Amino acid sequence: MKALIAMSGGVDSSVTALLMKEQGYDCVGVTMKLHYENETFASDKCGGQKDIEDAALVCQKLNIPHEVKDFSESFKGCVMDKFVNTYRNGGTPNPCIDCNKNLKFKGLLEYAATIGADVIATGHYARNIYDETQDQWNLHKAADDNKDQSYVLYNLTEEQLKHVRFPLGAMTKEEVRTLAEEHGFVNARKRDSQDICFVPDRDYARFVDNYDGSKSVAGNFVDSEGNILGLHKGITHYTIGQRKGLGIALGSPLFVTRIDPVKNEVVLSHGMGLYKTTIRINDINLIRKDIFNEEQKVSVKIRYKHKEQTASAKLIADDLMEIIFDEAQRAPTIGQAAVLYDGDKVLGGGTICEIVS
């Protein structure tokens, strides 16, 4: 069988290529070019020239072919444009989820079909398990909970899961690095990327303001009753739960609890105002659609590093689900993903679109 290996230039995808080759697959490494040539910041970031060179060196070491596939146009449209628009509309985006959905899986799976590859393999820490009783592939958490990346993979469909492999799902990061060192990979101790690749300095507001010249404008900080507390610098400078950098002192800490792009207001309150019980999600992907015709007891994660919490979930429209937590959760945020679990199995998820109460 032939496998397309998504080669990011990092140690995880390099060991993925090694393991797939050892399993007998006819492998080809493919690196996605994500940035335009004039984006100088991209040279040492995900999808930049340094990653392309590292991936090519590993493929040479493994004696497998290496290709570069240009996804820069799709990356701008599906990831960067959405990132900017979400911030400008008062949300907090998750570009890695959008990249996985639209490029790493949709785009690479389509390309895999054109080169006769049966599966694609990535360096994500997750497990893809076939359930014989249901004749279905399911997405599960990685064995190493500290490295689990199932949260950012919830958009995978059952049909896609049939053609995806995660060889690192049962491994720890240190085991992966040790294997890379044993095989002399140039990136064995390469630092994991912690930044959003197109905002390497983490100044999201400046990036959004400079993206196309449509800068955000100052407006009012208000309390939950609408009383004006001061002036903000523009809504793109803030996210739900933020405390630092507000420039307002009222005797006790204030937090951003809501962003209103229509009124250009940032609502502040003391800590308890952050806790919410009921949210709604749209842009939903469910690996098992049928079970949500009725209310289901599930565990839900509302941020990548958030510990999932018990809740009830039910579809209330074709692309709208209401989630009611057993206990109020701190700072659920429009634009972030809510991912549903049954134990370590991913049931699906969607984008938080409304904070109800």
Side-chain angles (χ1 to χ4, degrees):
M1 293 181 72
K2 187 172 183 177
L4 183 157
I5 316 299
M7 300 285 287
S8 69
V11 64
D12 294 328
S13 59
S14 299
V15 171
T16 292
L18 167 68
L19 296 176
M20 292 295 285
K21 183 178 181 182
E22 289 180 344
Q23 292 174 26
Y25 284 90
D26 175 17
C27 297
V28 54
V30 176
T31 303
M32 298 187 300
K33 181 178 179 291
L34 300 180
H35 306 287
Y36 294 118
E37 296 295 341
N38 62 348
E39 291 173 340
T40 56
F41 63 79
S43 62
D44 64 345
K45 295 297 175 182
C46 179
Q49 188 58 38
K50 181 64 167 62
D51 283 341
I52 292 171
E53 293 169 359
D54 287 349
L57 287 171
V58 170
C59 286
Q60 184 178 24
K61 190 88 173 177
L62 293 173
N63 195 28
I64 64 174
H66 177 251
E67 301 178 12
V68 178
K69 185 69 175 170
D70 190 348
F71 281 97
S72 54
E73 185 174 350
S74 296
F75 186 77
K76 182 182 183 302
C78 297
V79 180
M80 294 172 68
D81 287 354
K82 184 177 178 181
F83 177 90
V84 169
N85 290 334
T86 301
Y87 263 118
R88 287 176 176 169
N89 284 284
T92 301
N94 196 322
C96 293
I97 287 177
D98 295 323
C99 186
N100 283 329
K101 176 182 178 180
N102 295 298
L103 278 69
K104 288 183 181 175
F105 293 102
K106 183 178 184 294
L108 284 182
L109 277 168
E110 290 173 353
Y111 183 61
T114 68
I115 63 172
D118 304 281
V119 297
I120 72 168
T122 76
H124 288 99
Y125 288 83
R127 291 179 295 157
N128 186 9
I129 300 175
Y130 179 66
D131 184 338
E132 292 185 359
T133 61
Q134 295 182 334
D135 185 28
Q136 178 173 339
W137 285 92
N138 290 302
L139 177 65
H140 290 251
K141 290 182 181 180
D144 182 357
D145 198 49
N146 291 323
K147 290 299 295 178
D148 174 56
Q149 293 175 297
S150 60
Y151 175 82
V152 298
L153 299 172
Y154 77 87
N155 273 306
L156 283 165
T157 66
E158 185 191 357
E159 182 60 31
Q160 289 174 327
L161 286 167
K162 294 177 184 177
H163 303 285
V164 174
R165 300 293 180 267
F166 301 119
L168 308 188
M171 300 180 68
T172 66
K173 184 73 177 197
E174 193 53 40
E175 288 171 339
V176 169
R177 290 199 183 279
T178 298
L179 260 182
E181 286 184 327
E182 289 173 351
H183 287 80
F185 291 169
V186 65
N187 52 14
R189 290 290 161 182
K190 186 175 182 179
R191 183 178 66 88
D192 290 341
S193 176
Q194 301 295 323
D195 301 333
I196 294 174
C197 63
F198 52 89
V199 194
D201 61 1
R202 299 192 180 188
D203 191 340
Y204 306 142
R206 183 171 65 182
F207 175 83
V208 172
D209 279 350
N210 292 337
Y211 191 65
D212 57 9
S214 301
K215 296 183 181 297
S216 59
V217 296
N220 290 325
F221 282 123
V222 298
D223 63 17
S224 56
E225 283 75 43
N227 300 308
I228 296 174
L229 304 176
L231 286 177
H232 66 67
K233 296 181 290 186
I235 64 171
T236 58
H237 291 260
Y238 308 96
T239 188
I240 303 301
Q242 181 176 336
R243 179 176 67 86
K244 296 182 178 180
L246 302 180
I248 289 184
L250 290 179
S252 59
L254 291 170
F255 299 83
V256 176
T257 53
R258 189 163 61 86
I259 298 172
D260 187 333
V262 176
K263 296 181 178 179
N264 193 29
E265 291 180 343
V266 176
V267 181
L268 304 180
S269 74
H270 300 291
M272 289 310 296
L274 288 171
Y275 286 84
K276 306 294 180 181
T277 302
T278 305
I279 64 174
R280 289 176 178 167
I281 62 174
N282 62 6
D283 195 16
I284 297 167
N285 177 64
L286 296 175
I287 298 172
R288 284 284 308 279
K289 297 181 177 64
D290 56 306
I291 67 173
F292 286 98
N293 293 328
E294 299 179 355
E295 185 175 278
Q296 293 293 318
K297 205 68 178 176
V298 294
S299 297
V300 182
K301 180 182 286 195
I302 57 172
R303 281 180 292 278
Y304 181 61
K305 291 298 185 181
H306 179 253
K307 177 66 177 176
E308 60 266 22
Q309 301 292 318
T310 55
S312 299
K314 183 181 179 180
L315 284 168
I316 58 175
D318 285 343
D319 187 35
L320 189 65
M321 176 180 284
E322 187 166 271
I323 297 171
I324 303 175
F325 290 97
D326 292 355
E327 297 181 3
Q329 300 300 304
R330 186 184 187 278
T333 303
I334 290 174
Q336 290 287 287
V339 179
L340 285 58
Y341 292 84
D342 176 10
D344 70 356
K345 182 193 297 183
V346 179
L347 301 175
T351 303
I352 300 173
C353 61
E354 185 179 356
I355 312 299
V356 180
S357 62

